[in-house]
Amino acid sequence: MSIRSFYIKTIRKAAHSKGYGVHSPFAFDFISKVINNPYKYYFFDTPPQIKKQNTRNSLSPQTEEKVGRLLFRTVEFFSLRNIIVIGKQHPALSIYCCAPNSKINLHYCNSDKKAIGLIKSDLSGSPYLLLLDDQKTSEEWFKLFEALNPLLKETIIIAIPRIKEDKEKKIFWKGLCKDSSVHVTFDLYDIGIVFPRKCLHKKNYIVSF
């Protein structure tokens, strides 16, 4: 980690840390019970299959493990049963997503068209996590989101690793937070979490975890 990144992360710890200053019950629960949940789950002993897949990616092993644990807690907290992955940059993250329940279905999509078709099928109406784990330009990301936008339901959770990775990802994340169809976003530096729930007050939370 660079010195600049270290200081940015240190400063961010004051913003909504552990739910302080958060008035939304939904956001407070997500921050305190999911993002900063202190409990260790049985799966967090880093099983061999995850170690073997920590190969080519742009997340350090420590960051990938931290993000993976967050996705594990998110899937378990919301009782998600379907995971859609667009791209395949971090196989270990998918393993974490599927670990909470053996009945979770994992769908790898090597193209945007395949993902859109799968979402249109409605996945039997069950809530699911959409993991955008691909390399794209900001223009390509916005084009994908424009296609997904009409299909987004309140039961969908979107996770985007590496939102600060490069200029393209930063532009997309900033635009996504401003989009009228996106109501609550959590900026965790190494990953962004999006909730397109109309019942929630629009807000972008910057949280250290």
Side-chain angles (χ1 to χ4, degrees):
M1 180 187 295
S2 67
I3 296 177
R4 182 175 181 273
S5 296
F6 172 79
Y7 280 109
I8 289 175
K9 286 192 173 184
T10 301
I11 293 172
R12 286 163 59 92
K13 287 183 181 295
H16 305 308
S17 178
K18 298 186 184 302
Y20 300 142
V22 176
H23 302 291
S24 165
F26 174 85
F28 181 84
D29 280 348
F30 187 65
I31 293 172
S32 60
K33 297 180 180 179
V34 180
I35 296 176
N36 287 317
N37 186 330
Y39 299 108
K40 183 177 180 180
Y41 291 82
Y42 65 92
F43 189 73
F44 291 176
D45 292 329
T46 313
Q49 59 263 38
I50 289 184
K51 289 183 178 179
K52 291 178 182 178
Q53 298 209 44
N54 277 334
T55 54
R56 177 181 170 273
N57 57 58
S58 57
L59 289 178
S60 68
Q62 295 81 7
T63 300
E64 185 172 64
E65 180 179 357
K66 182 175 66 171
V67 171
R69 291 183 177 190
L70 170 68
L71 292 174
F72 176 100
R73 295 192 297 267
T74 300
V75 171
E76 183 182 63
F77 186 78
F78 291 100
S79 299
L80 304 179
R81 290 295 176 266
N82 285 285
I83 312 296
I84 300 178
V85 182
I86 298 180
K88 196 176 180 181
Q89 298 295 311
H90 303 86
L93 297 186
S94 301
I95 296 176
Y96 273 106
C97 287
C98 294
N101 193 303
S102 60
K103 295 182 180 180
I104 292 175
N105 299 307
L106 177 63
H107 309 271
Y108 271 125
C109 298
N110 52 13
S111 70
D112 296 349
K113 184 177 180 180
K114 181 178 179 181
I116 293 170
L118 185 60
I119 294 173
K120 282 183 177 179
S121 71
D122 199 30
L123 297 174
S124 300
S126 61
Y128 61 90
L129 175 73
L130 178 60
L131 181 62
L132 304 184
D133 193 24
D134 204 357
Q135 293 287 347
K136 296 180 184 293
T137 65
S138 58
E139 184 177 346
E140 289 172 332
W141 279 119
F142 282 120
K143 185 177 180 180
L144 170 61
F145 187 74
E146 184 178 354
L148 291 173
N149 205 346
L151 307 174
L152 297 181
K153 297 184 178 181
E154 298 202 355
T155 55
I156 297 175
I157 300 172
I158 305 173
I160 311 171
R162 312 180 317 278
I163 57 173
K164 308 293 183 180
E165 179 184 35
D166 52 35
K167 182 179 178 181
E168 298 293 331
K169 212 60 169 294
K170 289 178 181 178
I171 291 174
F172 173 61
W173 175 254
K174 188 175 181 180
L176 194 62
C177 292
K178 293 181 178 180
D179 193 282
S180 60
S181 64
V182 172
H183 289 261
V184 175
T185 51
F186 291 88
D187 178 347
L188 310 180
Y189 192 86
D190 294 310
I191 187 170
I193 306 293
V194 178
F195 292 92
R197 302 190 177 195
K198 297 179 180 180
C199 60
L200 300 175
H201 180 69
K202 188 170 180 61
K203 179 78 174 180
N204 178 45
Y205 296 93
I206 299 177
V207 185
S208 174
F209 83 111

